[in-house]
Amino acid sequence: MPQKNLLVPLAVALTCLVALTGASWYYSDVFNSSSMTASKFAERFEKVPKTLGSWVSQDREVSSEVADTAGAVGHVSRTYVDQNTGRQVDLWLIVGHSRNIVRHTPDICYPSAGFTPLGTKIKHQIAPKEGEPGMFYTAEYVKEDALSRHKIRVFWSWNGNKEGQYGWDAPSSGSKFSSMLGIRGARAYYGNNTALYKMYFTTAVTESEDEINDSPAIEFAKLMIPEVNRALFPERYGNSAAPAAEGEEAEEASSDELLSLN
């Protein structure tokens, strides 16, 4: 009889071990390490508009090293300038395997490059001009020396583009299994998604901005998010209808230093 009683906890322990091992394999992508499907979506990045209302853009060069570090199979890197106000917003949009795309977020990269975070990251909803709202993380960072002070705000979000993960989101948790394994945030939520998108809006912060919604990145994002959705996910949103640039050139792009951090 004692031997039979031992079988119950042994079976429970074995079941838990199998479940945890399976979840660990899933999040580490043991079975899909070579099944990158994101490349077939990369060509859609060309449809993201370069001109949007009064916003005119200039492409920013992305080195192979930066793209590889970010895990980007496809990307858009541009500085958009509002021709009416002169304000600039950087757009950094990439796609790749989730094991790479969930890494290198601003709250890790900017402090490691000498920027000081001003408070902690928070979630902020952006409701575009059309379509569903998106949830973004946002944070402010500052870098200063004897001659200058550079203060910026970054918004970042992901899009899984599959059932249950449509739309731009900033997840903070995943399944119970992922929590047991110590896996949280975007990595837990998106698992081993082979075509995960990430989007940043980055802009300088002025003294006149009293709250998050004063950021020009909010105004720009409300216009750009629907166009990005149509360009990347035409099956759900239809084709992009934004006008193409007609010989207009934007002002000089912001520093390459910020690009390397995105």
Side-chain angles (χ1 to χ4, degrees):
M1 182 67 66
Q3 291 181 341
K4 291 184 178 180
N5 291 337
L6 289 176
L7 293 177
V8 176
L10 181 61
V12 172
L14 182 60
T15 300
C16 290
L17 179 61
V18 170
L20 289 173
T21 300
S24 177
W25 283 350
Y26 174 77
Y27 287 105
S28 62
D29 199 30
V30 169
F31 298 113
N32 296 291
S33 59
S34 62
S35 60
M36 173 62 71
T37 61
S39 58
K40 68 181 182 180
F41 297 106
E43 62 186 44
R44 298 185 179 183
F45 282 87
E46 298 178 4
K47 298 179 181 179
V48 176
K50 293 186 176 183
T51 297
L52 191 58
S54 62
W55 296 88
V56 181
S57 72
Q58 179 173 315
D59 287 323
R60 302 172 63 190
E61 184 177 353
V62 178
S63 68
S64 57
E65 180 180 0
V66 169
D68 290 344
T69 299
V73 174
H75 69 268
V76 170
S77 179
R78 297 181 188 144
T79 294
Y80 287 78
V81 181
D82 186 341
Q83 303 301 290
N84 295 326
T85 66
R87 294 300 303 271
Q88 298 185 6
V89 177
D90 292 342
L91 171 66
W92 174 240
L93 176 63
I94 61 176
V95 64
H97 198 289
S98 62
R99 63 171 174 261
N100 302 316
I101 299 301
V102 297
R103 301 181 297 175
H104 308 294
T105 50
D107 53 333
I108 296 174
C109 296
Y110 279 94
S112 68
F115 282 81
T116 301
L118 300 177
T120 59
K121 68 180 181 182
I122 62 174
K123 291 186 179 184
H124 188 81
Q125 187 181 79
I126 299 178
K129 298 297 183 180
E130 56 183 280
E132 64 270 20
M135 185 65 71
F136 287 72
Y137 281 117
T138 186
E140 287 186 336
Y141 300 91
V142 63
K143 189 173 187 179
E144 51 191 336
D145 53 34
L147 300 176
S148 63
R149 185 174 190 268
H150 192 194
K151 185 179 179 183
I152 62 171
R153 176 174 290 281
V154 188
F155 295 85
W156 68 99
S157 185
W158 295 267
N159 192 316
N161 190 35
K162 67 179 184 179
E163 190 66 34
Q165 296 179 357
Y166 293 119
W168 295 97
D169 200 3
S172 55
S173 63
S175 66
K176 292 183 178 179
F177 278 129
S178 65
S179 297
M180 293 174 66
L181 292 169
I183 302 172
R184 298 179 177 84
R187 183 188 174 202
Y189 185 75
Y190 292 111
N192 64 351
N193 189 321
T194 56
L196 180 63
Y197 293 83
K198 182 166 67 174
M199 181 162 57
Y200 287 23
F201 298 108
T202 306
T203 189
V205 178
T206 66
E207 296 300 326
S208 63
E209 295 175 26
D210 296 325
E211 58 182 37
I212 295 176
N213 284 323
D214 291 334
S215 172
I218 294 287
E219 175 190 349
F220 176 72
K222 288 180 178 180
L223 295 173
M224 180 56 75
I225 290 174
E227 296 301 332
V228 168
N229 288 341
R230 281 192 284 266
L232 302 186
F233 319 120
E235 298 85 356
R236 290 180 57 80
Y237 300 100
N239 294 321
S240 176
E246 296 181 359
E248 296 179 280
E249 292 183 358
E251 296 180 11
E252 186 68 22
S254 54
S255 69
D256 290 338
E257 180 182 35
L258 292 181
L259 171 59
S260 66
L261 296 175
N262 288 343

